[in-house]
């Protein structure tokens, strides 16, 4: 659609934005973000209720590792067979989450099968939707930015007792941004850091301790619309404590829209703006590298005294 039924600032509704994807005929990320922007939206309630339940159970069991394992599962395995889901549920780390996987992994949509088989995306691992021209469509914006959908592992409809797909709200608000979160974690780890994922039951996404002892708190935000992201951003919780807070935008969002970070900043509330630094992922990684370079021992440029002499 090129005309919106609401009187909105241009930054909130561009002429190229769509509520329904014209290829897959499903709601776009922007459509769901608009739903979240409305108070008490059904999409937001589902997401918060399910994730909140997982948090509560893990807190009660004093099992932060279980919560991290749960979040990793949703990001790395949005598709499971029924048999595999049963095996995972029996792993000790998932004991606090007994019965929850059955509520969030549901039978894959029959209409997404072609020739009796479901096909997953090689990039993000969720299921691909068949298109009218015999191609495939991935719901993950990062995958679409990188080009045509790449077919990954395929599943027979009845494989392993049936193919299960994570519910749409969790795929949108946990799996999709989680791909960017784990990508940033890997990038930081390659620099020799040990980022902590979802500390204190998802107070924020990553807690990064630098060699000089400073702690940075990072929230990765993968939204289609930067203005809606800015309007919905809130200050990061102060527990666990940190020295500086960052809101980081993944590569693919800033590649698609070069003013993305500037728009986010413009729509932040004063409270968030004064407490949070908004950066692209490229800018954030450059800041990390600079901090690591400053922490390296400086080469000695003077005359070193001989052993035994002051």
């Amino acid at each position: 659609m090129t005309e919106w039924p609401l009187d909105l600032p241009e930054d909130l509704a561009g002429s190229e934005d769509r509520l329904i994807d014209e290829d897959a005929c499903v709601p776009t990320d922007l459509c769901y973000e608009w739903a979240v922007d409305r108070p008490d939206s059904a999409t937001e309630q589902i997401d918060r209720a399910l994730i909140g339940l997982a948090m509560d159970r893990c807190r009660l069991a004093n099992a932060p590792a279980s919560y991290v394992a749960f979040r990793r599962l949703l990001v790395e395995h949005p598709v499971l067979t029924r048999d595999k889901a049963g095996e995972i549920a029996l792993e000790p780390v998932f004991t606090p989450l007994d019965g929850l996987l059955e509520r969030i992994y549901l039978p894959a949509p029959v209409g997404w099968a072609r020739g009796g088989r479901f096909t997953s995306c090689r990039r993000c691992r969720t299921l691909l939707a068949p298109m009218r021209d015999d191609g495939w469509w991935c719901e993950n914006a990062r995958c679409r930015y990188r080009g045509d959908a790449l077919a990954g592992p395929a599943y027979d409809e009845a494989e392993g007792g049936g193919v299960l797909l994570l519910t749409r709200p969790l795929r949108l608000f946990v799996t999709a941004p989680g791909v960017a979160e784990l990508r940033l974690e890997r990038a930081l780890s390659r620099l020799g850091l040990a980022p902590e994922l979802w500390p204190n039951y998802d107070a924020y996404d990553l807690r990064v301790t630098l060699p000089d002892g400073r702690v940075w708190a990072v929230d990765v935000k993968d939204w289609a619309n930067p203005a809606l992201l800015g309007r919905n951003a809130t200050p990061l919780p102060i527990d666990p404590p940190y020295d500086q807070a960052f809101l980081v935008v993944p590569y693919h969002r800033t590649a698609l829209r070069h003013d993305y970070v500037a728009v986010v900043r413009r729509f932040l509330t004063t409270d968030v703006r004064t407490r949070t630094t908004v950066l692209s992922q490229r800018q954030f990684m450059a800041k990390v590298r600079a901090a690591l370079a400053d922490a390296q021992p400086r080469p000695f440029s003077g005359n070193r005294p001989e052993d035994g002499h002051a």
Side-chain angles (χ1 to χ4, degrees), residues 68-81:
V68 173
F70 172 72
R71 288 295 293 263
R72 273 195 179 275
L73 176 69
L74 303 194
V75 176
E76 297 178 340
H77 299 283
V79 180
L80 294 172
T81 64

Side-chain angles (χ1 to χ4, degrees), residues 177-193:
V179 171
E181 293 160 11
L182 293 185
R183 184 183 184 191
L184 181 56
E185 179 214 18
R186 291 192 294 270
L188 293 169
S189 296
R190 286 195 292 270
L191 295 178
L193 297 170

Side-chain angles (χ1 to χ4, degrees), residues 259-296:
D259 66 342
Y260 192 110
V261 170
V263 174
V264 173
R265 289 171 178 162
R266 186 158 67 250
F267 280 84
L268 294 175
T269 65
T270 301
D271 187 30
V272 177
R273 187 179 296 110
T274 57
R275 296 168 58 182
T276 310
T277 301
V278 182
L279 297 174
S280 69
Q281 185 166 342
R282 192 175 304 279
Q283 292 170 327
F284 178 74
M285 290 303 297
K287 191 174 183 67
V288 171
R289 292 188 183 96
L292 293 177
D294 288 342
Q296 295 300 316

Side-chain angles (χ1 to χ4, degrees), residues 10 15 50 61 71 91 126 143 182 203 231 242 263 274 279:
E10 183 178 350
S15 60
L50 293 172
R71 288 295 293 263
E91 294 178 11
T126 192
C143 297
L182 293 185
R231 290 206 326 188
Y242 50 84
V263 174
T274 57
L279 297 174

Side-chain angles (χ1 to χ4, degrees), residues 52-100:
L53 178 59
M55 287 183 188
D56 291 344
R57 290 190 180 184
C58 292
R59 284 183 189 276
L60 186 62
N62 192 25
S66 294
Y67 182 74
V68 173
F70 172 72
R71 288 295 293 263
R72 273 195 179 275
L73 176 69
L74 303 194
V75 176
E76 297 178 340
H77 299 283
V79 180
L80 294 172
T81 64
R82 194 176 298 276
D83 289 348
K84 184 62 177 178
E87 292 177 12
I88 292 172
L90 294 177
E91 294 178 11
V93 72
F94 288 101
T95 298
L97 302 165
D98 182 44
L100 183 56

Side-chain angles (χ1 to χ4, degrees), residues 4-72:
W4 290 68
L6 301 171
D7 183 18
L8 300 169
E10 183 178 350
D11 282 324
L12 290 181
S15 60
E16 300 301 317
D17 288 333
R18 298 289 187 273
L19 293 179
I20 302 296
D21 187 277
E22 57 187 339
D23 293 319
C25 299
V26 298
T28 61
D29 290 356
L30 178 62
C31 183
Y32 281 99
E33 288 167 13
W34 267 114
V36 170
D37 195 58
R38 306 299 91 191
D40 299 321
S41 71
T43 304
E44 186 181 26
Q45 288 182 33
I46 293 171
D47 172 52
R48 288 184 176 178
L50 293 172
I51 293 299
L53 178 59
M55 287 183 188
D56 291 344
R57 290 190 180 184
C58 292
R59 284 183 189 276
L60 186 62
N62 192 25
S66 294
Y67 182 74
V68 173
F70 172 72
R71 288 295 293 263
R72 273 195 179 275

